[in-house]
Amino acid sequence: MPRDNIPKTALKKLQQFFTKTLDTNNDGLVNWTDFEAAIESIVSQEDAQKNARLKVLRKRLEQHFQKYFWDLCAVGDANNDGNIDLDEWLDVMNDIIGGLKEKNEFPEWYEGLHKALFRANEFLDERAVSKDEFANMLISWDIDESSAEKAYDFITEHGQKKMDYNLFSEFMKKFFLNETPKHPLNLGLD
């Protein structure tokens, strides 16, 4: 399948995003095991057993991630093996980027993942996420702190805009659409 919507300059960034944020065990595949590891890194089972609020948060996160994983498999698992390899993921991203170029919106199933990731964090005020909170969220995705801080400064115009879910979603759209090498939106992945 041709990937006409993915600029050659963005291919490395997307490959790095797959490897760092999705393929948590570095086996070249994304499967439910990777999502379980991500859930554990956000809210550990041990912490959830000790705290009712964290237990609810973990349960919701599991439900959102499970839905996203099965939606991803339905859209992208070309060989029906229950895994998403890099080529399958790039095909999915080609379609997502095409949709962003046309309508500037993510498919509903993909937007759900971003909402779950954003809301799974312990923000003091999710309508005004601080630079440190934003950086901590991205560090949990294996993005280095300096790159996360530069991205925050760029997207918030050095704090002039409040980082809330809508701005985070806008950030993710710009991340996938940006073709400029070494730009803060690339999170150091290029």
Side-chain angles (χ1 to χ4, degrees), residues 156-185:
T156 65
E157 298 174 8
H158 296 279
Q160 296 301 307
K161 293 181 179 178
K162 289 187 178 191
M163 174 60 79
D164 59 5
Y165 177 73
N166 291 330
L167 191 58
F168 174 72
S169 181
E170 190 62 31
F171 164 72
M172 292 306 300
K173 290 172 187 174
K174 289 180 178 191
F175 169 81
F176 288 117
L177 291 173
N178 184 53
E179 297 181 32
T180 306
K182 305 297 180 199
H183 194 282
L185 289 171

Side-chain angles (χ1 to χ4, degrees), residues 23-68:
D23 183 14
T24 59
N25 62 4
N26 296 313
D27 65 357
L29 302 170
V30 173
N31 51 40
W32 182 242
T33 304
D34 294 297
F35 281 85
E36 288 175 320
I39 292 165
E40 186 65 20
S41 73
I42 295 169
V43 180
S44 73
Q45 184 70 40
E46 183 180 333
D47 289 346
Q49 290 173 344
K50 296 176 190 173
N51 181 306
R53 188 178 53 74
L54 291 178
K55 184 176 184 176
V56 170
L57 179 64
R58 182 179 169 102
K59 186 67 175 165
R60 284 187 187 145
L61 196 58
E62 287 171 346
Q63 291 169 340
H64 287 293
F65 275 26
Q66 196 167 50
K67 180 180 180 342
Y68 169 73

Side-chain angles (χ1 to χ4, degrees), residues 63-161:
Q63 291 169 340
H64 287 293
F65 275 26
Q66 196 167 50
K67 180 180 180 342
Y68 169 73
F69 176 69
W70 292 118
D71 287 348
L72 177 61
C73 284
V75 171
D77 187 9
N79 60 5
N80 296 313
D81 65 353
N83 300 301
I84 301 292
D85 64 30
L86 179 60
D87 282 329
E88 290 170 326
W89 189 76
L90 288 172
D91 288 343
V92 169
M93 292 314 302
N94 185 66
D95 293 344
I96 288 173
I97 290 169
L100 286 172
K101 287 177 178 178
E102 283 179 33
K103 299 183 251 178
N104 194 37
E105 58 187 46
F106 288 115
E108 188 176 322
W109 68 270
Y110 193 76
E111 183 83 28
L113 172 69
H114 290 164
K115 284 181 182 171
L117 287 170
F118 188 81
R119 293 189 175 131
N121 290 278
E122 291 289 319
F123 300 134
L124 214 48
D125 179 356
E126 69 176 43
R127 293 166 298 174
V129 175
S130 73
K131 184 190 296 190
D132 288 342
E133 291 171 325
F134 181 79
N136 286 335
M137 176 177 64
L138 295 187
I139 288 168
S140 75
W141 299 1
D142 228 4
I143 305 298
D144 73 80
E145 185 174 3
S146 172
S147 296
E149 289 174 348
K150 288 175 187 171
Y152 181 91
D153 286 341
F154 180 83
I155 200 69
T156 65
E157 298 174 8
H158 296 279
Q160 296 301 307
K161 293 181 179 178

